[in-house]
């Protein structure tokens, strides 16, 4: 182990779409753990859409990252030194340790991972926050029933790809919305979505959705917002359910996008729209992981990972994720397994 720890800190608040100069690679010394703490070497770190909101200096469900502060993020790593009775050297753990090569954390902030159960990277993807977001958002809020039509935006992403597969497990007709022909092929051919379209080559979303959802839309899992969601709302069926997971189309806008006023459709359709955070389901985490693990082992859920190499490339991986370059989960490999 080297004496220095490389970290990515926030250098400036992004104006519009983030750029590499908004982040800074810095070196700090690695301190030894105190009683109750562990020294962890990071193996994988996660980049996720929610991080864009943490870069804004606005009130939200979590405080903004301050200028000069370590960039937030979940990681999987290996315990190098432990002064906590619950962990020993060599344990593989998960935690919110930020964008860095090494971290000292209290034992209570870590969760042990079984590397024999699944690839450890899945703790940041299908068997982590994205998978749990898909599981609880779809099953608790959208409540899909066999034969219903479920529409998923950001369908090829870390969350949307899992949402669509769970909806298929539940016997639904699943339509995906994605940002490239490659992604459309992936969700329809590899993940067995019934249909999908590339919104970047379509001028009239409403017409395409009517063709792909001839009996209307019963459930919509929304990770995008904007004009795509505007096209979905009028097509909702009576008693439809909408889960608002994210609004990635809006995250980098300096001026709010103007749109139609569509809430009257919810009155006519008696539809339900609910936003949620996966942290709301923390008490049910093990329930979700058990079911997701079962589906992954049986082949009912497939997943894909896109991995960038090196801590210095975390900002670029983050920006590429925001630009929709990834299929499945975007990760950064910081060290070898």
């Amino acid at each position: 182990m080297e004496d220095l720890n490389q970290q990515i800190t926030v250098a400036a608040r992004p104006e519009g779409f983030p750029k590499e100069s908004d982040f800074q690679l810095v070196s700090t010394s690695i301190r030894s753990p105190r009683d109750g703490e562990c020294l962890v070497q990071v193996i994988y770190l996660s980049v996720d859409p929610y991080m864009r909101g943490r870069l804004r200096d606005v009130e939200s469900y979590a405080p903004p990252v301050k200028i000069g502060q370590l960039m937030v993020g979940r990681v999987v790593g290996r315990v190098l030194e432990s002064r906590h009775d619950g962990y020993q050297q060599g344990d593989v753990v998960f935690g919110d340790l930020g964008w860095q090569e090494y971290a000292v954390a209290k034992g209570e902030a870590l969760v042990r991972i079984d590397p024999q159960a699944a690839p450890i990277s899945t703790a940041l993807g299908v068997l982590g926050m994205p998978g749990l977001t898909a599981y609880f958002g779809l099953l608790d809020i959208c409540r899909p029933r066999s034969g219903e039509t479920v529409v998923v935006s950001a369908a090829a992403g870390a969350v949307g790809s899992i949402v669509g597969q769970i909806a298929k497990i539940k016997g639904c007709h699943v339509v995906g919305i994605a940002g490239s022909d490659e992604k459309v092929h992936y969700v329809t051919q590899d993940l067995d979505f019934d249909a999908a379209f590339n919104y970047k080559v379509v001028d009239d979303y409403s017409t395409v959705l009517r063709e792909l959802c001839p009996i209307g839309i019963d459930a919509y899992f929304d990770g995008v917002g904007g004009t795509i969601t505007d096209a979905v709302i009028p097509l909702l069926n009576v008693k439809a359910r909408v889960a608002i997971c994210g609004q990635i189309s809006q995250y980098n806008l300096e001026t709010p996008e103007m749109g139609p006023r569509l809430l009257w459709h919810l009155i006519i359709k008696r539809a339900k729209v609910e936003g949620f955070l996966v942290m709301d389901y923390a008490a049910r985490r093990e329930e979700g992981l058990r079911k997701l693990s079962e589906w992954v082992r049986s082949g009912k859920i497939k997943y894909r990972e896109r991995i960038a190499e090196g801590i210095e490339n975390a900002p670029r991986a983050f920006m590429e994720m925001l630009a929709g370059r990834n299929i499945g989960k975007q990760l950064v490999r910081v060290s070898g397994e």
Side-chain angles (χ1 to χ4, degrees), residues 18-296:
K19 51 189 181 296
E20 291 200 41
S21 60
D22 294 327
F23 303 92
Q24 184 175 10
L25 180 66
V26 301
S27 295
T28 63
S29 59
I30 302 171
R31 74 169 177 86
S32 298
R34 304 185 182 100
D35 288 343
E37 295 180 331
C38 296
L39 173 62
V40 177
Q41 181 180 22
V42 174
I43 301 173
Y44 292 102
L45 65 82
S46 177
V47 296
D48 300 283
Y50 80 85
M51 295 173 176
R52 181 61 184 87
R54 298 292 301 275
L55 293 172
R56 294 181 181 275
D57 190 14
V58 296
E59 184 177 351
S60 185
Y61 62 88
V65 184
K66 298 178 181 179
I67 303 299
Q69 185 177 336
L70 177 71
M71 183 61 185
V72 296
R74 296 174 174 87
V75 312
V76 166
R78 180 189 302 105
V79 174
L80 296 182
E81 184 180 350
S82 175
R83 295 188 63 182
H84 187 284
D85 293 340
Y87 299 94
Q88 59 185 5
Q89 183 179 6
D91 283 348
V92 179
V93 294
F94 158 88
D96 289 304
L97 305 184
W99 291 9
Q100 56 184 333
E101 293 179 309
Y102 300 92
V104 174
K106 293 182 178 180
E108 293 73 19
L110 303 173
V111 176
R112 185 182 288 102
I113 295 170
D114 180 3
Q116 303 303 316
I120 62 174
S121 58
T122 60
L124 298 174
V126 63
L127 301 182
M129 182 272 288
L132 293 169
T133 300
Y135 180 88
F136 291 115
L138 181 70
L139 298 183
D140 268 42
I141 297 175
C142 290
R143 303 191 314 276
R145 294 182 285 269
S146 181
E148 290 190 326
T149 295
V150 176
V151 173
V152 185
S153 61
V159 175
S161 60
I162 307 302
V163 170
Q165 292 180 87
I166 297 175
K168 286 297 296 180
I169 291 170
K170 297 300 179 180
C172 298
H173 177 80
V174 180
V175 176
I177 305 171
S180 72
D181 291 342
E182 181 186 10
K183 292 179 179 181
V184 168
H185 183 274
Y186 173 63
V187 300
T188 55
Q189 302 303 309
D190 293 3
L191 305 186
D192 297 323
F193 283 42
D194 295 285
F197 71 92
N198 176 2
Y199 73 88
K200 291 185 178 178
V201 298
V202 170
D203 293 325
D204 187 347
Y205 302 150
S206 296
T207 297
V208 176
L209 283 167
R210 288 183 188 276
E211 292 173 355
L212 300 182
C213 308
I215 59 173
I217 298 169
D218 299 294
Y220 174 46
F221 194 100
D222 183 19
V224 173
T227 53
I228 288 175
T229 298
D230 291 344
V232 169
I233 296 298
L235 303 181
L236 295 176
N237 287 332
V238 172
K239 296 295 184 180
R241 291 81 60 197
V242 178
I244 306 295
C245 166
Q247 300 281 281
I248 197 169
S249 70
Q250 310 299 297
Y251 291 164
N252 297 304
L253 300 179
E254 287 298 298
T255 302
E257 193 173 56
M258 299 298 291
R261 294 181 174 91
L262 298 173
L263 293 183
W264 63 275
H265 286 280
L266 305 182
I267 301 171
I268 297 170
K269 304 299 178 62
R270 284 83 82 198
K272 172 185 174 182
V273 178
E274 183 175 344
F276 75 102
L277 297 171
V278 70
M279 65 180 67
D280 298 338
Y281 295 92
R284 295 172 57 191
R285 180 177 181 273
E286 293 305 318
E287 168 202 333
L289 289 180
R290 279 196 302 271
K291 200 62 185 177
L292 288 165
S293 298
E294 174 188 320
W295 286 331
V296 170

